[in-house]
Amino acid sequence: STVAESLQSGTRLQNSRLTEQDWVLIRFLIPVNGDGRSSALASKTPRSFTAAHLEVRKVYVWELEVNVEKSLDFATKIVLFYEEFSKTRKDTTIAKQLLRSATSVGANINEAVYGNSKADFISKLHISLKETGESIYWLKLLKRTSLIDYNFDSLLSLAEEIKRMLIASLNTAKE
């Protein structure tokens, strides 16, 4: 059974069976005190976690991993685009803005995975969503200017897919 299923059923977890993904999931399951710090449960061993101790939230590690991978693919494609664009000797101001926003998407998703609290997690995903929106804007602008002949549609499609995934993750995290 999965970690989430074990926690919901009250089954105690065994350290030897926990993967790194499980540890990340457990971090999001730990209740947070009113002051924003993790409760004393954070110091207990995973064996002591049960549904009775935890409010099981619907934030799943696989969903985050997909977001991280997609955003890394997106950032890689943007870096390669920027390298090609910079060789044209045209003004790179817009391309630099795109490079900054596109690489920030994945960086913030990755920070969300290791956030200190649910609020921190949601905040980082919101930043990623904003950076995705900004990247889409710069891509559309570059496409309209025709400064370089490039397949902007594939980059826009990937950015839109990441945006949809982030919105879904945020909606899940806020439940």
Side-chain angles (χ1 to χ4, degrees):
S1 70
T2 67
V3 171
E5 289 168 349
S6 296
L7 292 171
Q8 288 171 334
S9 68
T11 306
R12 295 201 181 274
L13 304 174
Q14 296 178 357
N15 287 345
S16 62
R17 293 187 184 166
L18 293 177
T19 66
E20 184 176 339
Q21 294 173 341
D22 296 333
W23 283 101
V24 173
L25 177 59
I26 287 168
R27 289 181 60 171
F28 288 111
L29 299 175
I30 298 171
V32 176
N33 294 329
D35 60 4
R37 293 190 329 234
S38 295
S39 68
L41 287 174
S43 62
K44 294 189 177 193
T45 64
R47 192 171 282 123
S48 66
F49 290 119
T50 67
H53 296 118
L54 303 172
E55 171 195 348
V56 177
R57 298 179 184 134
K58 295 178 181 177
V59 178
Y60 298 106
V61 173
W62 67 267
E63 189 175 290
L64 295 174
E65 283 186 344
V66 170
N67 285 340
V68 169
E69 278 305 308
K70 289 279 184 190
S71 63
L72 190 56
D73 289 345
F74 180 61
T76 301
K77 289 177 181 185
I78 295 298
V79 168
L80 296 174
F81 160 77
Y82 180 79
E83 287 300 314
E84 188 175 324
F85 186 84
S86 63
K87 291 176 186 173
T88 66
R89 305 236 186 255
K90 295 179 180 171
D91 184 10
T92 60
T93 304
I94 297 169
K96 283 181 184 175
Q97 287 292 109
L98 172 62
L99 182 65
R100 286 186 193 103
S101 63
T103 54
S104 177
V105 173
N108 280 291
I109 293 171
N110 195 54
E111 281 188 47
V113 171
Y114 298 101
N116 295 325
S117 66
K118 185 176 178 181
D120 187 30
F121 172 76
I122 290 170
S123 174
K124 295 298 182 191
L125 286 187
H126 269 292
I127 293 169
S128 290
L129 181 59
K130 289 178 183 180
E131 295 293 338
T132 303
E134 182 179 341
S135 298
I136 290 169
Y137 174 82
W138 296 125
L139 284 167
K140 286 179 178 179
L141 184 59
L142 283 164
K143 182 179 176 179
R144 281 188 182 186
T145 61
S146 301
L147 291 173
I148 185 173
D149 184 29
Y150 201 83
N151 184 4
F152 289 106
D153 290 334
S154 68
L155 293 174
L156 282 164
S157 176
L158 183 55
E160 290 289 346
E161 182 181 356
I162 292 168
K163 182 174 90 171
R164 285 190 301 275
M165 292 168 63
L166 285 168
I167 290 169
S169 293
L170 281 163
N171 289 339
T172 300
K174 290 177 181 179
E175 287 179 359

